[in-house]
Amino acid sequence: MPHARRFSATPYLFILPGMLFFLVFLLYPLVEAFRISLYDWKIMPGAVSTFVGLDNYLRAFKDDVFWIALRNTVLYTVVTVPAQMVLAMLVAVLVDALPSGKVLYRTLYYIPVITSWVVVSLLFRYLFDPSEAGLINYFLMHSLHLIAQPIPWLREPGPAMVAIITLGVWKGIGWSMIIFLAALQTIPADLHEASQIDGAGPVQRFFSITLPLMRPTVVFVLIMLVIGGFNVFLSVYLMTGGNPLHRTETILTYMYNQAFNFLEFGYGAALSYLLAIIIFVISFVQIKFLRRPIEV
Amino acid sequence: MTRKTLANLLGALVATALILAACAAPAAAPTPATIKETVVVQQTVPVPVTATPAPVEAPIATINFWHTYNPVETKVLEEKVIPAFEQAHPNIKVQDQTVPYDDFRKKLLTAIAGGTAPDVARLDIAWLPEFADLGALAALDTLMNDFDTYKSAVFPGPLSTNAWKDHYYGLPLDTNTRAIVWNKDVYTKAGLIGAPKTIDDFLADCAKIKAAGSTCFADGGTYGWAVMPWIWSMGGDITDPKMTTSTGYINGPDTVAAYQLLKDMLDNGYLDKAILGGGLDTYGAFAKDQLANVLDGPWMPPLFASQYPDKAIDFALMPAGKGGPISVVGGEDIALFQQSQNQEAAAEFVRYMLSPETQLALAEAGQVPVRADVADQAVKAHPYFQIFFDQLKTARARLPHPNWPKIESILTDAGQVILRGEKTPQAALDEAAAKIDPLLK
């Protein structure tokens, strides 16, 4: 006799609290932001907002600053992601090989990750001060005698991006390192021992055993870092504010400026949706092409 | 891992959109600020018909007052001004809240959008037209039947920042302006006796100051607060008086000349590169005699004295050009919000903040009063107020227009393009005019 399907409320009640949070704090804002992006949005309660369709999206494509912001965001991601991954891998392998003091070094490298973006951004603003009084300039000019004139760090777009990217890499290494370290510890020691007997050196072992076995982890870190890179905001906002002349603007700083400074909430919402679409597509492509079974 | 990655991916997607949506509150249901009041319900005791009924206690109205007073000023407000007000008005309670200046405009906008605006706020004068245009502020000239008494008691310059279209949406609360603060030691070293009166003399002095090894002048950027004194003093402006067009004004010959002046000063090394961005410790440079002049406000003397007690400072008016010695008006207005549930009580508080006693009490903490009738007394207590009162006679307010934030952004960018030598002043300002004109419609 087949089981009669009986309705039971219990599982739904268990889901309910989480579901409510999801609906109220994730789904509702998501839908609402999309709706806002289709309007010339007025923030006053009761004010009538005009429906403009996709105008806010089209406006972005004709907006020079949007393209500058997109270029800077891509540049930031393209430089910080590989730099973080290579350095983090190096640190992870070195820390893993330490005979003692692993916890100490792991903690030291992780400290930048848990410090506040606000605090370190302000610190970096002082470090990269464009005058002679900035610590980096002082060091380069008076301790190392490498430069005769102070570098206009946060005053010119190029050097400013260098400062922003330096902060991003420095702060991000620890996170990737921790994940790489965890993956390193799952690699069976007998593989290394066997290859050692076969005469493989440490470099060959790294590229032939360690790296292939860590592939899923590397792909995971890559995807997460790319998402993080595209979402760069606080460091830029606090170090340059997108200046000079919007030339260090990133998508999120530009979105924030449009929405909260100029009250262009419709345009701001459209910008954030454009960013979301870009991230979604890139991540989808990464998952599709980079994920495959481990092969040694 | 697929699931995890996808979940993360979705999470990121959501988070991006969320940042924005979370802040833009739904517009559908404005929730008026609920004012918690304690109403004592009295037990009705049967009384003989002949007895007179007991007087009904008026319910206590609580008004919220948001401001950006610094700690010294807040102390005066909370320990002197508010207690005195509450004593005189036993049925009104004032709850004040200090908000950091940088967050204040955004916090207010968020509160307005969410229907939780304060009753009264002390706003930067540059923001008032924007909030008035949004419909967030109550027109004080219709709400207060004695508005004209206050209108005639305050200085006209600061008052003008409260007008938008046909109404006044606030009253000035404190005022300030920028005057030249000059470094006597540097001037003496350069063989000069006193501060220059005209822009021509200023340039001549700058040459000598540079020869003596100091920078003549510094400012922190090309925003309105920094460049407007030069534009006005050179006889230029950014729009016509009625704010209908900027073509012919921001790209007119006088404004172009003002920017050319700044560009020449920068190229000659008279003007510090900090104007291109990335700060300079002006007080430190001034104290070390690296800097000869700054434009600064009345808050500077007490601050400077606390950091560099041994260094004397002197004041002078903005050097005069074709337009006169014109500086920029700063300060704050007090405004009452449309969403307030206690407009009568709030108006009473506005009156009190504008009273001579309150103005003098806050002057003790360094706030320059806006009432002409207490100016003399305030100067007696703080002699350095005098130069700012003199400068205020000709000082002007930044464009009182709701689109000022956008206009200022265009102005700032034009200044950077010019000073960085990417375009001639005329070309950059022609472009700025084309961008500003539609914003004035």
Side-chain angles (χ1 to χ4, degrees), chain A:
Chain A
M1 195 177 103
H3 280 286
R5 284 182 69 99
R6 277 192 304 142
F7 177 77
S8 162
T10 319
Y12 296 97
L13 282 174
F14 272 112
I15 296 173
L16 190 67
M19 197 59 175
L20 273 181
F21 270 99
F22 170 75
L23 290 176
V24 173
F25 293 109
L26 288 178
L27 196 66
Y28 171 73
L30 197 66
V31 173
E32 184 69 9
F34 183 66
R35 200 167 76 87
I36 291 174
S37 76
L38 301 178
Y39 283 83
D40 177 11
W41 192 259
K42 301 273 186 289
I43 67 153
M44 279 300 287
V48 182
S49 301
T50 334
F51 182 80
V52 295
L54 293 176
D55 279 8
N56 285 324
Y57 292 88
L58 298 176
R59 178 174 159 192
F61 297 119
K62 283 180 270 176
D63 184 343
D64 292 343
V65 181
F66 168 75
W67 292 109
I68 295 174
L70 183 62
R71 190 202 65 196
N72 285 337
T73 310
V74 170
L75 175 76
Y76 179 87
T77 309
V78 166
V79 179
T80 57
V81 172
Q84 283 179 81
M85 290 181 75
V86 170
L87 291 170
M89 184 65 87
L90 192 70
V91 173
V93 170
L94 290 177
V95 170
D96 192 47
L98 281 177
S100 63
K102 271 186 205 182
V103 177
L104 173 72
Y105 280 96
R106 213 169 56 197
T107 313
L108 283 180
Y109 278 101
Y110 202 68
I111 284 175
V113 181
I114 52 171
T115 49
S116 144
W117 272 106
V118 177
V119 172
V120 293
S121 299
L122 293 178
L123 264 177
F124 267 62
R125 205 165 78 183
Y126 284 106
L127 289 179
F128 285 97
D129 189 282
S131 75
E132 226 176 293
L135 192 65
I136 306 255
N137 273 337
Y138 184 87
F139 189 66
L140 291 176
M141 278 176 76
H142 300 293
S143 303
L144 298 178
H145 302 286
L146 284 177
I147 49 173
Q149 288 295 316
I151 297 173
W153 288 113
L154 299 178
R155 188 176 291 156
E156 298 296 335
M161 285 309 290
V162 172
I164 290 164
I165 285 171
T166 308
L167 169 59
V169 173
W170 171 78
K171 199 170 183 314
I173 289 176
W175 183 82
S176 311
M177 177 211 65
I178 285 284
I179 301 200
F180 287 152
L181 209 49
L184 279 173
Q185 280 154 8
T186 64
I187 297 173
D190 45 0
L191 282 179
H192 278 289
E193 284 159 15
S195 60
Q196 227 167 339
I197 293 165
D198 291 342
V203 175
Q204 199 186 352
R205 269 183 284 136
F206 175 77
F207 284 104
S208 308
I209 297 172
T210 313
L211 209 51
L213 283 173
M214 283 176 70
R215 185 183 174 96
T217 311
V218 172
V219 172
F220 166 73
V221 169
L222 174 71
I223 292 170
M224 294 308 290
L225 288 186
V226 168
I227 293 173
F230 271 92
N231 277 311
V232 59
F233 171 66
L234 262 180
S235 54
V236 183
Y237 184 69
L238 292 169
M239 282 169 76
T240 66
N243 287 318
L245 290 161
H246 304 291
R247 282 173 199 165
T248 60
E249 207 89 67
T250 58
I251 305 239
L252 280 190
T253 56
Y254 191 52
M255 178 278 273
Y256 187 83
N257 200 17
Q258 287 292 333
F260 294 97
N261 196 16
F262 295 158
L263 308 187
E264 298 271 0
F265 279 87
Y267 189 39
L271 287 173
S272 64
Y273 255 89
L274 284 173
L275 178 62
I277 291 166
I278 294 170
I279 294 176
F280 192 85
V281 169
I282 291 179
S283 302
F284 183 79
V285 170
Q286 283 176 325
I287 295 169
K288 185 128 178 89
F289 291 98
L290 294 177
R291 263 184 44 84
R292 61 177 110 107
I294 295 169
E295 43 199 67
V296 180

Side-chain angles (χ1 to χ4, degrees), chain B residues 126-185:
Chain B
W127 301 338
L128 204 111
E130 187 188 19
F131 284 106
D133 192 53
L134 275 175
L137 304 178
L140 281 194
D141 51 0
T142 49
L143 186 75
M144 293 166 63
N145 49 19
D146 53 349
F147 183 80
D148 285 347
T149 22
Y150 293 94
K151 188 180 157 188
S152 52
V154 299
F155 295 119
L159 177 73
S160 70
T161 63
N162 293 282
W164 174 239
K165 297 207 166 137
D166 304 324
H167 288 287
Y168 284 95
Y169 289 89
L171 276 164
L173 188 54
D174 53 76
T175 185
N176 60 57
T177 183
R178 309 179 87 194
I180 288 281
V181 182
W182 58 284
N183 191 330
K184 199 173 242 166
D185 295 333

